[in-house]
Amino acid sequence: MILTRLATIATGAALLVACGSDRDIVQYGPNPDLPEQQRGLLPNMTIADPAGWGDRRPVVPAGFTIAPIATDLKIPRHTLVLPNGDILVTEGKGGGNAPVMRPKDLFVGYFLGKGTSPVKGGDRITLLRDANGDGVYEQRAIFAENLNAPYGIALVGNRLYVANQDALIRFDYRPGQIRASGPPVTVTPLPAAINHHWTKSLAASPDGRSLYVGIGSNSNIGERGMAVEEGRALILQVDAETGASRPFATGLRNPTALAIQPGIGQLWAVVNERDELGPNLVPDYLTSVRQGAFYGWPYSYWGANPDRRVRPFKEDMVKRAVRPDYALGSHRAPLGLSFSAPAMGDRFANGAFIGMHGSWNREVQVGYKVVFVPFRGGRAAGVPVDFVTGFQADGKTFGRPVGVTVDPRGALIVADDLSNTVWRVTPVRPPAPARGRQS
Amino acid sequence: MASPKHGPARRIIHPVHAVLLASSLPLFLGALLSDWAYSSTYQTQWLNFASWLIAGALIFVGAALLWAAIDFFRADLARDRAGALSILVLLTTFVLAFINALVHAKDAWATMPAGLILSVVVFVLALVATWLGFSTLRAGATR
């Protein structure tokens, strides 16, 4: 206990030193500090320097343990825990087809590539099974392959929906199945031209009649022109039966993960905000998504703060922009979102876990961890708590969290697309009386 | 060859040096016009044009600068104030054009108005540098 506390103090002190002028800036919660916009001649970039985990492990809070349950995957992104406890992992790497428009694109493409895994995306879904419930996922099968950069995944009854980078597709699913029984059916094509932000996040409405698909923008702030932003930077509501779709909410620059709040069925999203306004702008956020709402991109951020890099500029859109619920900090790149369950223990029972891929266009790196945002009265409230850390040390980066999924039996599944690992965090419990897994 | 009576010879500009020096002019002019087109239409494609034109011009200015610098420090060629000024203007052109390239790496309207102003300044400087380069070197040809 004392050791833990000491470690916390030491970490805190290190953070203060590391952040320098950032220390006065509070960027979580409903009212984040929003400093002046700034952009020097050269953008600040610190690209992750990848290294193997070796004997290291990610760090989890006291009372929890972490173990890799699958390694050597091909760019794992999001996970889904099936009713029988099997885990599906989407693997792929999309985009990359955006034409080079400016000399800058050549440099940025090269540098960003250095901070990611060199492995080719699997374009497949892997199934992991722990048949005897001992926490070791001894069986591994390829559930489906030859997909196109699958990312979001959701199960509704006996239908498994997968969001490829260019289409929402559907498989039939029977409990216990380890391989899809046939090729997928296309529910609806999704906007895929250029695909600057290619990840298509996915959640199903509680009644299963609608699917929500998060579609990222085709640029940082409209520098490719607004014509290519048609149908982008929004959450699409898709009719599960007919495939008909309509925008559910707009102005969300890159909604990288969607989740339904248990109990009340509210849709939530984590969104990656814009770059090149300084190291502490614009905060990425977690928000409940209001139907018909406009969240600002590209004309404004965090409500009505105008971003005049966009021309023609639309003042009326700034006035329309609604404020998100909860800031997560700038450039942290949240890519995973999952609501907790009582089995995660009292401290982490009520809230949401968020996987943060980590920054690149900021001198001091931030993100690179999984945080827990506590909820009170159905709303995000209080200080985010570090849940999985240790993805970076000694200037090296060992992993980058993407999708997080709570297993209601008491585990958090974390996909790591740098080390191509799926991690499983579980509460350490006194040995419980033997209990049937399927009961 | 150097004439013993008049000291080191002044020469006619080398044809390749002339091409390097003059080539940046239409490129910088194109960048200027593209910036102007973007600022009046908001069509971001003009900014892309400007970025590439500046990058291309930088290559020519850089090569012309190198050539001029080597000539300037060669022992067998004349060094005078006009030659020094020519190089200085060319160097200033290169530095400002490089800054302009960085400004053009910003997104959309973040490039403006600095990008357009720099494009005008750089074009005028390139014009002066070319004029100085040709006039100072050409003088030797008639002797």
Side-chain angles (χ1 to χ4, degrees):
Chain A
M1 202 60 203
I2 291 166
L3 268 179
T4 316
R5 194 161 298 163
L6 275 176
T8 312
I9 292 166
T11 316
L15 270 176
L16 282 181
V17 173
C19 293
S21 61
D22 294 350
R23 74 184 127 191
D24 299 330
I25 291 170
V26 177
Q27 271 199 326
Y28 60 83
N31 296 301
D33 292 339
L34 300 172
E36 290 292 301
Q37 298 178 9
Q38 49 158 296
R39 158 78 151 87
L41 269 182
L42 285 168
N44 292 322
M45 296 204 296
T46 306
I47 307 295
D49 183 9
W53 279 101
D55 293 331
R56 293 173 194 265
R57 285 289 172 269
V59 179
V60 290
F64 287 85
T65 177
I66 186 164
I69 57 169
T71 55
D72 296 315
L73 291 163
K74 294 182 174 177
I75 320 293
R77 302 288 189 173
H78 276 201
T79 51
L80 174 70
V81 178
L82 293 166
N84 70 347
D86 290 352
I87 297 169
L88 292 177
V89 187
T90 57
E91 299 164 78
K93 185 187 262 181
N97 295 322
V100 171
M101 303 289 273
R102 296 183 284 172
K104 172 196 190 181
D105 299 342
L106 296 172
F107 295 102
V108 173
Y110 171 76
F111 283 115
L112 281 188
K114 291 179 74 128
T116 59
S117 166
V119 172
K120 192 175 175 299
D123 286 335
R124 65 181 187 186
I125 297 170
T126 293
L127 180 140
L128 309 173
R129 174 170 290 176
D130 169 18
N132 55 6
D134 62 354
V136 178
Y137 284 68
E138 67 282 342
Q139 191 178 357
R140 180 164 156 178
I142 295 180
F143 184 85
E145 54 200 329
N146 300 321
L147 305 178
N148 185 3
Y151 185 82
I153 184 165
L155 182 74
V156 178
N158 61 352
R159 285 176 167 181
L160 181 70
Y161 293 92
V162 177
N164 277 345
Q165 68 166 331
D166 65 344
L168 178 63
I169 60 171
R170 187 185 80 209
F171 294 93
D172 290 330
Y173 174 77
R174 279 179 288 103
Q177 210 172 356
I178 62 165
R179 182 163 182 88
S181 45
V185 173
T186 299
V187 179
T188 180
L190 297 171
I194 302 176
N195 251 3
H196 176 89
H197 291 126
W198 62 270
T199 59
K200 301 296 194 285
S201 53
L202 184 64
S205 68
D207 63 7
R209 286 163 64 179
S210 292
L211 293 151
Y212 300 105
V213 185
I215 296 163
S217 67
N218 251 338
S219 63
N220 179 28
I221 46 98
E223 68 274 12
R224 283 192 175 90
M226 291 307 289
V228 299
E229 304 296 349
E230 198 63 44
R232 312 283 315 207
L234 49 76
I235 294 172
L236 205 61
Q237 184 176 19
V238 180
D239 185 300
E241 280 308 312
T242 65
S245 63
R246 60 174 177 178
F248 182 77
T250 57
L252 302 127
R253 181 173 173 276
N254 193 12
T256 45
L258 307 176
I260 301 291
Q261 192 173 6
I264 65 170
Q266 168 70 45
L267 176 68
W268 287 70
V270 288
V271 176
N272 287 212
E273 259 291 357
R274 66 204 71 198
D275 297 326
E276 297 198 21
L277 290 180
N280 295 308
L281 280 181
V282 169
D284 299 329
Y285 57 85
L286 165 73
T287 193
S288 58
V289 184
R290 288 153 56 182
Q291 182 162 13
F294 170 70
Y295 285 84
W297 189 89
Y299 304 102
S300 69
Y301 54 87
W302 206 262
N305 297 281
D307 183 348
R308 299 190 184 278
R309 294 175 296 175
V310 188
R311 296 293 163 104
F313 194 75
K314 296 183 177 171
E315 300 284 354
D316 56 317
M317 295 301 274
V318 177
K319 293 196 194 85
R320 272 187 56 197
V322 301
R323 282 167 61 130
D325 291 349
Y326 188 96
L328 296 166
S330 301
H331 307 296
R332 281 166 170 74
L335 298 187
L337 170 64
S338 185
F339 283 95
S340 194
M344 292 307 287
D346 287 346
R347 195 176 160 210
F348 297 102
N350 188 13
F353 292 98
I354 293 167
M356 294 177 164
H357 205 227
S359 67
W360 60 274
N361 50 1
R362 190 183 195 283
E363 196 173 328
V364 178
Q365 293 181 316
V366 290
Y368 297 94
K369 60 186 175 183
V370 178
V371 301
F372 175 78
V373 174
F375 271 53
R376 222 174 15 246
R379 313 297 300 170
V383 185
V385 181
D386 284 356
F387 191 70
V388 190
T389 57
F391 289 92
Q392 292 186 310
D394 308 330
K396 296 285 182 187
T397 301
F398 313 111
R400 302 184 74 172
V402 190
V404 292
T405 306
V406 171
D407 182 339
R409 294 162 189 80
L412 183 73
I413 311 300
V414 181
D416 165 358
D417 72 357
L418 182 63
S419 68
N420 290 307
T421 304
V422 172
W423 303 95
R424 185 169 180 263
V425 186
T426 46
V428 181
R429 294 194 195 86
R435 200 161 45 132
R437 201 173 142 66
Q438 305 287 342
S439 64
Chain B
M1 272 282 100
S3 150
K5 280 184 188 167
H6 302 287
R10 307 194 65 172
R11 321 129 300 140
I12 191 163
I13 188 167
H14 191 284
V16 175
H17 189 188
V19 167
L20 294 177
L21 194 54
S23 288
S24 68
L25 268 183
L27 299 177
F28 280 134
L29 179 62
L32 191 169
L33 293 173
S34 298
D35 278 347
W36 175 72
Y38 171 63
S39 57
S40 51
T41 65
Y42 299 146
Q43 293 292 321
T44 52
Q45 184 71 306
W46 289 114
L47 273 186
N48 299 332
F49 292 151
S51 296
W52 289 109
L53 289 165
I54 293 165
L58 267 174
I59 291 170
F60 285 112
V61 172
L65 187 62
L66 194 65
W67 193 302
I70 289 169
D71 268 5
F72 189 78
F73 291 110
R74 264 170 62 177
D76 58 334
L77 295 179
R79 272 192 290 272
D80 57 15
R81 195 171 291 174
L85 183 67
S86 165
I87 290 181
L88 205 64
V89 175
L90 201 57
L91 179 67
T92 312
T93 310
F94 183 83
V95 170
L96 286 184
F98 185 71
I99 292 171
N100 199 21
L102 295 179
V103 168
H104 277 77
K106 297 184 184 185
D107 286 339
W109 194 255
T111 51
M112 294 292 153
L116 179 57
I117 293 166
L118 276 169
S119 286
V120 172
V121 171
V122 166
F123 173 70
V124 171
L125 279 172
L127 191 65
V128 172
T130 308
W131 179 38
L132 287 175
F134 274 78
S135 57
T136 54
L137 287 172
R138 192 192 54 202
T142 52
R143 277 194 192 161

